[in-house]
Amino acid sequence: MKRMLLFVVGSALSLSAAAQSKPQATMVLESAGPVPTYRVIVINRSVEAVNYQHRSGATSVDFAGTTLLPSANGTAKVRSKRGTMEVEAEFGNLQSPTTFGGEYLTYVLWAISPEGRPVNLGEVLVGGNDRSKLTATTDLQAFALIVTAEPYYAVRQPSNVVVLENVVRADTKGTSEAVNAKYELMERGGYIPSGYKFDPVVLNASLPLEFYEARNALRIAQSEGADTYASASYQHAVQLMDKADAYAIDKHVERKQLIAIAREAVQTAEDAREIAVKKIDEDNLANERQAASDAQAISQAQADAATRLKDQAQSDTAIAQANADKAQSDLVANQIASTAAITSAQSDAARAQADLAANQTASANAISSAQADADQSRLAAQKAQANEQLAINDKAAMRAQLSEQLNSILATRESARGLIVSMSDVLFDTGHYSLKPGAREKLAKVAGILITYPGLTIEVGGYTDNVGGDAMNMKLSENRADSVRGYLVEQGVASGSVSAKGYGNTLPVATNDNSAGRQENRRVELVVSGDVIGTRVSPL
């Protein structure tokens, strides 16, 4: 039983990648004879995907060029390994990827799952004879194979510049499976923003392709906002690119060194781009939620206003009715007064007696009311004192809890300034400020704790011993403090709540006359404070 899976990738691909429309997605499942396969359609052609399952030996598929590059061809052997599938592919008649646009510098081999998930299997480099070889592994069991032109090797989604598709042969082995496809994972343009234009790329034969891929990756990352939303990673990529530029003009640097630094720049720039995209999506989601909350608040305010108007109308009606009742009562009273004129003397006497009784009652009520007010004021004062003490106790308990949590990771002590978390010098390489893996692990845990206590202020201070010059020690302490601050912010701590400062060798906690004392003086301290834990601090 053969089954076919169809992905529609686009409506029109031209040799210039500048005028491609966004694809529309449809899915069809069909039977096609004894070889069990899936079929992925790109424009008006299809590429079959096989469920290879676990078997001994290898099976083969061919590659055919698309309308973009009809002369291209290739073959691939697929072997089942323990837990993975190994793909050994060879391609021929591949033209320079820049044929399809200035932004395309390389080719990438992709495995596409039946559900539409793309997996980057590796870069396909064009050899001097227009032939290329690539061996890769994937954890997918059922997949199609395609080759696309890309701006750099580390992309996470394929473009729709598809130049090769696999073709299932009569001897290709596989089994059938009902599948469900999602086309949106194949969409193009995720790496090239609307209206963005690449700088002209002039390929210098003396420089490796990886150098130009690094330039593309850095520019794409910047266009996606990585310099704003993933500044640390982006700046690292810029530094790597600067280093690659220096290597490119240095005749004494080996080509392998240039390739290595360029590939590292590509990966770092792609990581920065991915981080920026995720943060932008998170900000957009937060804005949408805030807009919904604001709309709900406005709706509630309007409902409350309508309720108040209704209540006011009812009150006005009640007052009008009361006034009418009073007028009627006054009329009746006047009639009664006229009728009772002959008994005014008796009424005056009775009224005087009633007034006396009323005055006595009023005096008694006034005394009772004054006593009740005094009692209520005393109770309110006692309650306010109790609430204040409760707040103090809550802050103290929270401070103790935070201290215990932090102390389980790094040495933490109490001080008038707040909780002081101390990082030993051994968390850094001697004379350097890059965090060791162990330091990153501990700081990640510290950041996770700090995030759960909103309102905290963290002051990161770097300190050294007296070995070396004062200027060198001050710079080293500042760099170490900045490294810790940057990593805390990277782990989610609000950047506005964290400051960093280097103190050099000016504030030792032990003698510098022996190695043990100097090691204690080489440290980074986090001063954690804030009203939420009962410590008031000046604004950063």
Side-chain angles (χ1 to χ4, degrees):
M1 164 76 73
K2 176 187 291 183
R3 298 186 180 276
M4 302 297 183
L5 169 67
L6 306 181
F7 292 87
V8 174
V9 171
S11 61
L13 294 177
S14 69
L15 292 181
S16 173
Q20 301 183 23
S21 60
K22 187 174 182 180
Q24 300 295 320
T26 61
M27 180 190 74
V28 181
L29 190 67
E30 65 179 54
S31 298
V35 180
T37 60
Y38 309 105
R39 173 166 295 173
V40 179
I41 286 189
V42 180
I43 311 175
N44 292 323
R45 67 171 48 76
S46 63
V47 54
E48 299 168 320
V50 179
N51 186 336
Y52 295 96
Q53 294 193 344
H54 181 73
R55 63 182 66 255
S56 60
T59 188
S60 299
V61 293
D62 291 332
F63 282 88
T66 67
T67 54
L68 293 178
L69 195 58
S71 63
N73 56 68
T75 61
K77 289 184 178 180
V78 181
R79 294 184 180 87
S80 176
K81 299 291 185 179
R82 187 172 183 178
T84 63
M85 291 290 178
E86 181 184 76
V87 180
E88 182 180 342
E90 181 175 0
F91 307 101
N93 296 329
L94 287 176
Q95 299 178 9
S96 171
T98 56
T99 303
F100 307 106
E103 66 267 35
Y104 298 106
L105 297 180
T106 190
Y107 294 106
V108 172
L109 175 63
W110 299 88
I112 309 297
S113 74
E115 290 75 23
R117 177 167 65 93
V119 177
N120 185 327
L121 296 184
E123 186 176 18
V124 179
L125 297 174
V126 180
N129 57 354
D130 293 336
R131 297 196 65 80
S132 303
K133 291 184 178 181
L134 175 65
T135 300
T137 60
T138 176
D139 58 355
L140 296 178
Q141 181 172 284
F143 54 89
L145 294 170
I146 64 172
V147 176
T148 62
E150 301 293 349
Y152 50 90
Y153 77 92
V155 293
R156 287 180 168 87
Q157 284 183 284
S159 74
N160 63 357
V161 185
V162 181
V163 298
L164 281 164
E165 307 162 339
N166 68 227
V167 178
V168 176
R169 300 171 9 171
D171 58 350
T172 300
K173 300 176 182 178
T175 59
S176 62
E177 176 181 315
V179 295
N180 220 341
K182 295 180 180 179
Y183 158 77
E184 58 267 18
L185 294 177
M186 289 285 291
E187 66 180 355
R188 185 191 182 284
Y191 295 96
I192 304 176
S194 299
Y196 183 78
K197 294 184 179 179
F198 283 85
D199 296 338
V201 176
V202 179
L203 297 181
N204 185 337
S206 65
L207 294 176
L209 174 65
E210 288 81 358
F211 176 80
Y212 298 100
E213 291 185 33
R215 289 179 57 192
N216 262 4
L218 195 63
R219 286 179 291 205
I220 291 174
Q222 182 183 24
S223 72
E224 291 283 3
D227 53 343
T228 300
Y229 292 90
S231 59
S233 297
Y234 176 76
Q235 290 304 321
H236 185 200
V238 170
Q239 292 170 2
L240 292 172
M241 191 65 239
D242 291 341
K243 194 171 183 180
D245 288 338
Y247 282 2
I249 61 176
D250 190 340
K251 297 180 179 180
H252 301 289
V253 174
E254 293 184 2
R255 185 180 180 88
K256 289 183 178 179
Q257 288 181 271
L258 176 56
I259 291 175
I261 198 68
R263 289 182 70 85
E264 185 179 357
V266 169
Q267 188 61 61
T268 304
E270 171 61 12
D271 291 342
R273 187 204 66 81
E274 185 74 6
I275 292 171
V277 169
K278 289 182 179 179
K279 287 187 177 179
I280 291 172
D281 290 343
E282 291 171 359
D283 288 350
N284 291 339
L285 180 59
N287 291 337
E288 291 175 1
R289 289 176 176 171
Q290 185 60 47
S293 176
D294 292 344
Q296 183 177 2
I298 292 173
S299 177
Q300 184 62 46
Q302 292 173 343
D304 292 342
T307 300
R308 286 195 298 272
L309 290 175
K310 178 182 177 182
D311 293 342
Q312 184 62 45
Q314 292 176 344
S315 176
D316 292 344
T317 301
I319 291 173
Q321 183 63 44
N323 290 336
D325 293 343
K326 186 176 182 302
Q328 181 65 31
S329 177
D330 290 343
L331 177 61
V332 173
N334 289 334
Q335 290 174 346
I336 292 174
S338 297
T339 304
I342 58 174
T343 60
S344 59
Q346 292 87 348
S347 295
D348 290 342
R351 188 177 300 108
Q353 184 65 32
D355 289 342
L356 177 60
N359 288 336
Q360 292 174 343
T361 301
S363 297
N365 290 339
I367 294 172
S368 176
S369 176
Q371 184 63 41
D373 290 343
D375 292 342
Q376 185 175 4
S377 297
R378 184 172 58 258
L379 290 174
Q382 292 174 351
K383 184 176 181 181
Q385 292 175 350
N387 290 338
E388 181 179 1
Q389 185 60 45
L390 180 61
I392 293 173
N393 293 341
D394 288 344
K395 291 178 180 179
M398 187 173 294
R399 181 187 181 106
Q401 177 181 325
L402 176 58
S403 177
E404 181 180 356
Q405 290 175 320
L406 294 175
N407 198 45
S408 66
I409 302 169
L410 292 169
T412 303
R413 67 181 189 275
E414 291 276 353
S415 77
R417 299 167 59 201
L419 299 177
I420 298 181
V421 184
S422 183
M423 294 179 59
S424 170
D425 173 65
V426 299
L427 298 178
F428 299 88
D429 288 325
T430 302
H432 293 78
Y433 54 87
S434 296
L435 291 167
K436 290 184 177 180
R440 290 176 175 271
E441 179 181 357
K442 291 178 181 295
L443 279 178
K445 294 179 181 179
V446 169
I449 294 172
L450 295 178
I451 291 171
T452 61
Y453 292 83
L456 290 178
T457 297
I458 301 94
E459 299 176 8
V460 183
Y463 306 84
T464 69
D465 56 22
N466 65 350
V467 176
D470 292 344
M472 181 191 73
N473 285 331
M474 181 60 71
K475 186 62 177 178
L476 178 60
S477 66
E478 289 173 350
N479 287 339
R480 286 184 172 180
D482 287 338
S483 293
V484 172
R485 178 190 181 276
Y487 191 73
L488 289 175
V489 172
E490 183 178 337
Q491 294 299 310
V493 180
S495 61
S497 67
V498 189
S499 64
K501 184 176 181 180
Y503 297 91
N505 56 14
T506 60
L507 297 174
V509 294
T511 179
N512 280 310
D513 295 334
N514 55 62
S515 60
R518 288 193 293 273
Q519 183 173 4
E520 287 185 46
N521 291 331
R522 297 191 301 269
R523 67 198 189 279
V524 173
E525 292 183 346
L526 280 64
V527 180
V528 182
S529 59
D531 187 64
V532 68
I533 59 172
T535 304
R536 298 188 179 274
V537 297
S538 300
L540 292 177

